[in-house]
Amino acid sequence: MSDGQAEHRYRSRLLTLIAAILLIGALKAAFAVVMPIAFAAIIIAALWPLKRRLARHMPSWLAYTLTLLSLVAILGAFVAAVYLSIGQVITALTANWTSLEQGYSRLAGWAAEHGVPIAGTINRQRIMALLQLLAGGVYGFVTYVGFIGIIVMLGLPEVPRLKRRLYEMMESGDRRDMLGASEDISAQVRRYLGTTLATSVLTGVASTLWSWMTGLELALVWGILNFLLNFVPVIGNIVGIVPPVLFAFVQFGGWQTPALVFVGFVILQLTISNVVYPLLQGKQLSLSPLAIIVAMTFWSWVWGIAGALIAVPLTAAIVIICGQFDRSRWIGKLLSA
């Protein structure tokens, strides 16, 4: 390789690196605009097959209306479940406040004996204010979800039109590659969301049953919590164990029953995550576990919780797109299982 070719190669790599850094900065800075569009694109990819199937048996406008109504019903159920859970937690904390204070006192005494003093006492007003703040955050999130819903509502009818325009703009070979990649991305998104929904329902039902079997209060709340957190891979499974175990200490006092609750939730999460989920997903979503963890970390840093929710389908889409070009095919191979 001549000096000129080597210099051109290094300059090209440097420009690529600079472009990547600028793109990441732009994604982070344009969170309020780009994230809803990405989220809406994933929802449209999941809803489009439903609309297409309905359109075979009824007028297109009716199929479109029923598809949007199904989305509204899902979002409404999500909002109702979250608010119901917060209300039940507030009620349970009020009823078990004496046990909570006693448990806090025991914890403070144990910590002081081991050289880790805990200053102050547990404050009821602060905890209730924190729960109210959480409810306010949920309200803000619901408002943001409503904005995403508007984008979906406007974007869903544009899918055939956009597809036709791209088809007219491209040559036959590029057209075939573009259509193949878009179909692969859509199929990967649907498969991921379908599998995650199925395992989330299973996790929620199993969590509710285990809480009920151990006598833990708020069994439905812990089921809803683990159902929702299961949509955040790996991290959500770990976080979902903590609240019911902490509440078990408040309700039961000693450590035997909370330990039983903890062991049951750990076994449940490990079984569903490592046995049931791989069986349902198969090898279709060809991302390595390390790639999923890295993707979760990266998109969470860029877009927060919203990034964590869509990290896997976004990364799967990137893998498929990279596989279409010779220069970026190594990225797809690196991220694939």
Side-chain angles (χ1 to χ4, degrees), residues 52-93:
R52 191 164 51 186
R53 288 195 190 97
L54 292 174
R56 296 173 184 170
H57 308 287
M58 59 186 68
S60 180
W61 66 268
L62 182 58
Y64 169 68
T65 303
L66 291 177
T67 302
L68 289 181
L69 287 177
S70 65
L71 176 63
V72 171
I74 293 172
L75 294 179
F78 164 75
V79 173
V82 171
Y83 274 106
L84 173 66
S85 300
I86 293 176
Q88 288 196 2
V89 168
I90 292 176
T91 303
L93 283 178

Side-chain angles (χ1 to χ4, degrees), residues 31-32 35-36 78-79 82-83 86 131-149 305-306:
F31 165 83
M35 191 283 293
F78 164 75
V79 173
V82 171
Y83 274 106
I86 293 176
L131 289 173
Q132 291 175 356
L133 181 64
L134 177 62
V138 172
Y139 176 78
F141 178 73
V142 169
T143 304
Y144 214 76
V145 169
F147 176 56
I148 295 174
I305 296 177

Side-chain angles (χ1 to χ4, degrees), residues 13-29 298 301-302:
R13 290 181 176 178
L14 180 60
L15 290 175
T16 301
L17 178 61
I18 294 173
I21 295 173
L22 291 176
L23 176 61
I24 293 171
L27 288 174
K28 197 172 178 64
F298 173 77
W301 171 69
V302 175

Side-chain angles (χ1 to χ4, degrees), residues 296-307:
M296 287 272 304
T297 304
F298 173 77
W299 290 110
S300 298
W301 171 69
V302 175
W303 287 341
I305 296 177

Side-chain angles (χ1 to χ4, degrees), residues 12 58 73 171 189 191 322:
S12 177
M58 59 186 68
E171 299 179 359
V189 169
R191 189 177 297 112
C322 289

